[in-house]
Amino acid sequence: MNATLTIDEPAFLNSIIAEFQKVKVPCQAAMANAFYEVVMKNFGSGDGEDRPISWIGLGKGVPGSKYAKKVGREVATLELDGELATSVWPVGEMEEYATVSTTNQYASAHQWGEGNQPPRPFFPITGPEGETVTQFTAQKCVDACAAELVRSLK
């Protein structure tokens, strides 16, 4: 005895597309939140969680050194008044994509360096236009998406 089974490809593909539409926005939001968490950890002292380059230490002639030492810091932190950190936010509820943004006027100067200010990147991105997410953070975002996918499909 035999039973021959075939998949109705158009119906199958339509059901996959329908399931994808259900999980797309939550998965994108999970990725944005994972990226945001890395950014927040990059503000503090030490090496951060995933900074694209190490920050130049505080020393003679390094902008911000005098102020940092005055308030008792030995390392750069980007946390003078919290304005830059509180200007970063994830937006994940959009249909086509999720994003992590800041509108702070000093963000670019800190990320890429400007004038005599050395770069102290806090977004885990590289490339001339910041078009490449670091491998560590990209994997963290993929893992967050996978976990959300599993949760959403239960």
Side-chain angles (χ1 to χ4, degrees):
M1 181 185 309
N2 273 338
T4 302
L5 307 169
T6 60
I7 294 175
D8 177 351
E9 287 181 37
F12 180 70
L13 291 176
N14 286 339
S15 67
I16 296 244
I17 290 169
E19 287 301 313
F20 172 73
Q21 291 304 323
K22 290 179 195 173
V23 299
K24 181 181 177 185
V25 171
C27 285
Q28 290 173 168
M31 291 169 58
N33 287 329
F35 190 96
Y36 172 79
E37 289 171 10
V38 171
V39 171
M40 290 296 100
K41 289 177 182 174
N42 281 345
F43 275 99
S45 60
D47 293 330
E49 184 168 35
D50 186 28
R51 293 180 183 155
I53 63 169
S54 294
W55 292 358
I56 293 175
L58 297 174
K60 189 173 183 174
V62 175
S65 291
K66 260 187 190 176
Y67 178 81
K69 291 191 187 266
K70 181 179 173 182
V71 297
R73 295 194 182 138
E74 296 296 319
V75 294
T77 64
L78 283 186
E79 295 178 306
L80 296 180
D81 59 13
E83 183 182 329
L84 181 56
T86 59
S87 75
V88 178
W89 70 94
V91 178
E93 294 79 31
M94 297 183 298
E95 188 65 33
E96 292 306 313
Y97 57 88
T99 184
V100 177
S101 301
T102 177
T103 56
N104 185 281
Q105 62 182 337
Y106 304 113
S108 183
H110 285 298
Q111 182 74 25
W112 307 111
E114 186 175 278
N116 67 347
Q117 178 177 326
R120 290 199 174 102
F122 53 97
F123 265 50
I125 54 178
T126 62
E129 300 295 322
E131 68 274 4
T132 306
V133 175
T134 62
Q135 186 175 359
F136 173 88
T137 298
Q139 187 61 54
K140 194 163 187 164
C141 291
V142 167
D143 293 347
C145 180
E148 180 59 30
L149 181 61
V150 167
R151 191 196 68 72
S152 293
L153 291 176
K154 283 187 177 182

